Amino acid sequence: MRYLTCIILAFFLCFPPLKAQAVNPVIYADVPDMSMIRVGDTYYMSSTTMHLSPGLPIMKSQDLINWEIVGYAYDRLAENDAINLIDGQSAYGRGSWASCLKYHEGTYYASTFSSTTGKTHVYSTEDIEKGPWRARSFTPAYHDHTMFFDDDGRVYMIYGVGDLKIVEMKEDLSGVKPGSEERVLIENASAPAGDNIMLRAEGSQLFKVNGQYYLFNICWPREGMRTVIIHRSDKLTGPWEGKVGLQDLGVAQGGLIQTPDERWYAYLFRDNGGVGRVPYLVPVRWEDGWPVLGVDNKVPEMLDLPPQKGLMPGIVASDNFNRKKESSDLPLVWQWNHNPVPDYWSVRARKGFLRLTTERLDTSFVSTRNTLTQRTIGPVCTGTTKIDVSHMRNGDFAGLSLLQKNYGLVGVKVISGKKYLVMVSTENGKAVERVRIPLAQNTVQLRINCDFRDQADTATFYYKVKGKSWRPIGTSMPMPYTLPHFMGYRFGLFNYATKESGGYVDFDYFKISDG
């Protein structure tokens, strides 16, 4: 026995167990346009969710790898027809775009801009996890801007496309400083990537390291890929020197973050098909005053950081809709498609259920209000719900969805007073009913499986009635990423009316799994 123990000990001394590592992408879900800070030992990150409410999500991590949503900078971006889905208008692909997150003298700032409002929006708080957030806005909407607090106490925004501009701001970021005028900071900032550019430099993020200024941008050469551009200068006013920072896998747009033990990483993202734009981390070393991104100029698959624990429940989560009196109505993983109508949804009307009540007539799923959504996640995931359709009215359609321009639906439709199980997908921009099955009961379970492996981007749909096993319904559906929505596919719970309003559906639960 002693001999065997010695052999085992010798084996482990010669071949120590491999250290668990994180893998790229860091978050296999739609978390684009990241802006990141570290305060003490805690990292915070903001992202883009455009036409969803609440918006401008704030996420938290202790290790750069495992993240959880801790809040939103705003509940409702604005009140207008587009963001409220009124009179045929919508904010799909717009809403609020690339945010910027900063911490300065005890205050957190999160900013964004919006073509839906035509404004730049700035939110601030002393408690990033609990709020409340103060809201300020002004015109114009500064495209892909970065806030920057310089050492002399002055505050700036850098923004624009191609020719990058700078303007000095009021100290509280409530608007442009009186007497300050915008000026070009860097002409043709795409130049380091060549002359044949499809997407000119944008996505500005500015950092100051050891007294030097570093401006990160993205551009896209024709017949090339999304590319990181870095400019540096001894002075904010210039002159600026630029170079290509990274050109691999299309991983680009973001900035720099330093760990407490003084390691550097670049946080970036990649267009990854139907699941959306997914975050990557890339190691950074410093050489001749420049940040050098990647390992041999490549994005590594493995990272010398703690391994992922999974995206549940920090980024997505199941929900049984059973609320205690003191608890919030919805966990932070949920977002509404556009601004919700509070009087027509409830998790209190029936204990343990989400109730969606129709409040008007709609012509399509994408014009419907009060669709409750969560991200899909890769490489594979499943969303499941159970609905009680006892109180649907003629012309109603309710169930489980995949939200994007080319959407997919599985649910119950009432036609001439009779209930049917229906699967719908879109083809050439038009919704097509693929199958219709008579339904003789008032409860049904619905499921959608998503496969994003190797960008397969395929969804399959299922249903289950009492006493039966799961059965497929309709056809498999491709999930292409489209610019009109500019967002990865999201699961959604929906109910809308086409004939008469006032019907309602009770959702018993929503379950999400990574299998």
Side-chain angles (χ1 to χ4, degrees):
M1 188 68 178
R2 182 180 298 173
Y3 177 71
L4 179 61
T5 302
C6 290
I7 292 176
I8 294 172
L9 180 60
F11 176 84
F12 279 107
L13 288 174
C14 295
F15 303 99
L18 295 175
K19 178 183 177 182
Q21 293 179 299
V23 298
N24 271 317
V26 173
I27 301 175
Y28 209 142
D30 193 51
V31 183
D33 303 332
M34 305 95 71
S35 181
M36 195 181 297
I37 60 174
R38 177 174 60 84
V39 180
D41 293 336
T42 303
Y43 303 93
Y44 294 102
M45 177 170 66
S46 65
S47 179
T48 294
T49 51
M50 290 180 294
H51 48 270
L52 302 177
S53 296
L56 211 169
I58 306 296
M59 286 157 274
K60 171 186 177 181
S61 175
Q62 299 298 143
D63 57 16
L64 277 177
I65 297 297
N66 296 285
W67 294 87
E68 62 174 321
I69 303 170
V70 294
Y72 295 88
Y74 66 80
D75 288 327
R76 300 166 76 95
L77 176 66
E79 300 295 336
N80 58 40
D81 287 355
I83 202 68
N84 287 329
L85 279 175
I86 293 176
D87 290 339
Q89 297 193 47
S90 74
Y92 286 115
R94 296 181 291 135
S96 66
W97 280 12
S99 62
C100 179
L101 186 64
K102 297 289 184 180
Y103 178 71
H104 179 67
E105 295 184 349
T107 299
Y108 297 88
Y109 297 86
S111 62
T112 185
F113 74 102
S114 172
S115 62
T116 306
T117 65
K119 295 180 179 181
T120 299
H121 298 261
V122 179
Y123 306 90
S124 60
T125 183
E126 282 70 49
D127 190 336
I128 192 171
E129 297 188 33
K130 297 180 181 178
W133 291 84
R134 296 178 293 275
R136 301 179 178 91
S137 62
F138 54 88
T139 57
Y142 287 135
H143 180 90
D144 277 14
H145 66 261
T146 180
M147 297 178 287
F148 185 73
F149 296 86
D150 211 346
D151 297 337
D152 60 4
R154 301 171 75 176
V155 189
Y156 300 90
M157 279 191 176
I158 294 92
Y159 55 94
V161 179
D163 294 338
L164 304 179
K165 299 179 179 180
I166 186 170
V167 68
E168 188 171 356
M169 306 299 296
K170 295 178 183 177
E171 187 175 335
D172 63 357
L173 285 156
S174 60
V176 174
K177 183 178 180 179
S180 176
E181 295 183 359
E182 68 176 35
R183 63 177 182 85
V184 175
L185 185 69
I186 302 175
E187 293 184 0
N188 188 20
S190 311
D195 298 326
N196 194 12
I197 301 297
M198 179 172 64
L199 175 68
R200 297 185 298 157
E202 62 177 9
S204 294
Q205 295 201 35
L206 182 64
F207 307 88
K208 193 172 186 179
V209 181
N210 295 329
Q212 285 197 308
Y213 299 87
Y214 296 88
L215 182 61
F216 276 59
N217 291 99
I218 176 184
C219 75
W220 197 331
R222 294 185 189 277
E223 300 180 2
M225 66 182 71
R226 300 169 75 253
T227 299
V228 177
I229 300 293
I230 305 173
H231 284 83
R232 75 173 183 181
S233 175
D234 295 327
K235 298 179 181 179
L236 185 57
T237 53
W240 291 83
E241 178 186 6
K243 64 187 298 184
V244 170
L246 183 69
Q247 204 169 50
D248 185 43
L249 301 177
V251 175
Q253 190 164 341
L256 292 170
I257 194 75
Q258 186 183 30
T259 66
D261 59 0
E262 299 185 348
R263 290 181 294 165
W264 288 89
Y265 290 89
Y267 55 88
L268 307 163
F269 69 85
R270 181 186 186 187
D271 295 342
N272 211 62
V275 76
R277 297 178 287 170
V278 299
Y280 277 67
L281 283 177
V282 177
V284 173
R285 73 179 194 277
W286 291 86
E287 187 175 294
D288 298 327
W290 284 97
V292 179
L293 277 58
V295 178
D296 296 327
N297 299 316
K298 298 294 183 181
V299 176
E301 180 181 353
M302 309 297 293
L303 296 163
D304 188 19
L305 289 166
Q308 283 95 338
K309 299 177 183 177
L311 300 184
M312 296 174 284
I315 303 298
V316 298
S318 299
D319 194 345
N320 63 9
F321 301 116
N322 193 5
R323 302 291 185 260
K324 296 180 180 179
K325 186 176 181 180
E326 67 278 6
S327 64
S328 60
D329 283 351
L330 290 175
L332 294 170
V333 293
W334 289 112
Q335 289 175 283
W336 298 99
N337 179 23
H338 291 67
N339 282 347
V341 188
D343 290 342
Y344 291 87
W345 71 271
S346 176
V347 289
R348 311 285 179 176
R350 180 181 177 187
K351 185 175 177 60
F353 289 81
L354 165 71
R355 177 166 295 178
L356 298 180
T357 303
T358 62
E359 49 95 19
R360 68 177 189 188
L361 305 186
D362 285 301
T363 57
S364 72
F365 164 68
V366 289
S367 65
T368 301
R369 301 200 283 185
N370 283 7
T371 296
L372 189 60
T373 77
Q374 281 198 44
R375 293 170 177 84
T376 57
I377 59 175
V380 295
C381 64
T382 296
T384 308
T385 191
K386 180 180 180 181
I387 60 175
D388 183 337
V389 298
S390 304
H391 299 280
M392 296 179 72
R393 296 186 178 181
N394 194 43
D396 289 359
F397 188 12
L400 180 64
S401 67
L402 283 174
L403 174 63
Q404 234 275 0
K405 179 179 182 291
N406 296 316
Y407 59 83
L409 312 172
V410 58
V412 177
K413 184 180 288 188
V414 182
I415 303 171
S416 300
K418 296 182 180 179
K419 297 183 177 72
Y420 297 87
L421 279 164
V422 172
M423 184 267 173
V424 170
S425 63
T426 53
E427 185 175 283
N428 298 322
K430 297 183 66 175
V432 179
E433 185 179 296
R434 304 296 180 179
V435 68
R436 181 187 297 179
I437 303 170
L439 180 66
Q441 60 188 63
N442 283 324
T443 59
V444 62
Q445 295 178 74
L446 308 167
R447 172 173 291 174
I448 303 176
N449 292 347
C450 301
D451 185 354
F452 299 111
R453 291 172 294 186
D454 300 319
Q455 295 192 19
D457 296 347
T458 302
T460 48
F461 300 76
Y462 302 85
Y463 74 96
K464 183 178 181 181
V465 294
K466 186 176 181 180
K468 303 291 184 179
S469 59
W470 285 102
R471 296 181 177 181
I473 183 171
T475 59
S476 62
M477 185 189 84
M479 294 185 288
Y481 186 93
T482 70
L483 293 183
H485 276 213
F486 217 169
M487 183 174 289
Y489 275 81
R490 296 179 72 98
F491 290 117
L493 307 179
F494 73 94
N495 181 28
Y496 71 94
T498 63
K499 300 292 185 182
E500 56 179 309
S501 61
Y504 63 86
V505 171
D506 289 336
F507 292 81
D508 193 351
Y509 58 77
F510 173 77
K511 296 178 181 178
I512 185 169
S513 71
D514 56 2

